[in-house]
Amino acid sequence: ELKVEQNPLFLSMQEGKNYTIYCNYSTTSDRLYWYRQDPGKSLESLFVLLSNGAVKQEGRLMASLDTKARLSTLHITAAVHDLSATYFCAAGGATNKLIFGTGTLLAVQP
Amino acid sequence: DGGITQSPKYLFRKEGQNVTLSCEQNLNHDAMYWYRQDPGQGLRLIYYSQIVNDFQKGDIAEGYSVSREKKESFPLTVTSAQKNPTAFYLCASSTRQGDGYTFGSGTRLTVV
């Protein structure tokens, strides 16, 4: 059974600092997704990682996938307040069903 | 514009009532999903459907029912058997190619 774990669950960081959110999954999966959720809102797709070694970047966010280690990371560079949100990773199962991590609540302080 | 629409945005249910949450998509996606989100617990899968007239239980299907009579529609009924239905419900759809999900805007259900 596929399980997905994220850490940390909560991250408070200062503007301008760098940090990384980690996403581990328990069984083989060749697809990993990152989503952003603002308070009271739905989920917005950030990145789709479809192969080992995949790296994608959008603005101050960069996501990578290591399928051998069953690990994906979301790196935040020079954080700004607008990045405050909850970030979810999700891994794909055999039926295209996604299993989500518990989320990381990111609070960027001025 | 293509998208996925959930309604209503807010829903109040009395004890013992069944309520139905609507989910409609015009993305021509084959698969549709229902998730429940509680504070601090992430998303948990209730039901999913890969094709019309077929659906499977997710991890927390007890107290819920669905139908998939049309490709575009995947309504979720929260029955009186669901003892703690207060939550944020998210519907999503996807292609078969593993591109990830498109989410609706969600329905917030509260028991009164």
Side-chain angles (χ1 to χ4, degrees):
Chain A
E1 181 186 349
L2 177 60
K3 292 187 178 180
V4 179
E5 292 185 354
Q6 281 181 244
N7 68 84
L9 297 183
F10 177 70
L11 178 56
S12 178
M13 55 191 300
Q14 287 184 318
E15 282 191 327
K17 298 293 186 182
N18 303 334
Y19 209 84
T20 301
I21 299 171
Y22 297 89
C23 175
N24 291 90
Y25 52 96
S26 59
T27 64
T28 301
S29 174
D30 56 2
R31 293 171 286 126
L32 197 291
Y33 307 83
W34 286 95
Y35 292 86
R36 169 182 172 144
Q37 185 180 36
D38 291 300
K41 304 292 186 182
S42 186
L43 276 71
E44 171 193 355
S45 179
L46 292 175
F47 300 109
V48 180
L49 303 168
L50 298 177
S51 61
N52 186 42
V55 177
K56 291 197 173 179
Q57 183 164 4
E58 181 72 33
R60 300 173 187 275
L61 300 177
M62 183 174 70
S64 65
L65 177 61
D66 181 345
T67 58
K68 294 180 181 178
R70 298 177 186 166
L71 171 68
S72 180
T73 60
L74 180 66
H75 187 73
I76 303 150
T77 301
V80 293
H81 181 69
D82 285 351
L83 290 179
S84 297
T86 299
Y87 293 85
F88 290 94
C89 66
T95 57
N96 202 32
K97 179 177 69 171
L98 293 187
I99 305 300
F100 285 80
T102 51
T104 296
L105 175 58
L106 174 65
V108 181
Q109 311 294 341
Chain B
D1 287 337
I4 182 166
T5 302
Q6 288 186 243
S7 63
K9 189 171 183 177
Y10 299 96
L11 185 58
F12 298 91
R13 191 195 92 167
K14 293 182 181 178
E15 296 280 353
Q17 269 187 341
N18 292 352
V19 292
T20 297
L21 284 59
S22 171
C23 179
E24 304 275 336
Q25 54 99 0
N26 61 2
L27 298 166
N28 199 32
H29 285 173
D30 289 304
M32 296 186 75
Y33 312 82
W34 275 105
Y35 284 86
R36 168 179 172 145
Q37 187 177 30
D38 295 282
Q41 292 196 38
L43 278 70
R44 293 184 289 168
L45 183 63
I46 305 173
Y47 269 98
Y48 63 104
S49 168
Q50 304 279 15
I51 196 168
V52 175
N53 292 322
D54 188 40
F55 49 83
Q56 286 78 41
K57 293 182 179 180
D59 300 319
I60 56 164
E62 185 175 351
Y64 300 97
S65 65
V66 294
S67 63
R68 185 87 187 275
E69 297 177 1
K70 298 186 301 181
K71 187 176 185 177
E72 300 80 15
S73 179
F74 191 41
L76 173 74
T77 297
V78 184
T79 74
S80 57
Q82 172 48 241
K83 297 306 178 188
N84 184 22
T86 295
F88 188 47
Y89 290 86
L90 286 161
C91 180
S93 67
S94 72
T95 66
R96 294 185 185 180
Q97 283 73 39
D99 300 333
Y101 291 179
T102 299
F103 280 91
S105 57
T107 293
R108 194 166 299 279
L109 174 62
T110 304
V111 174
V112 296

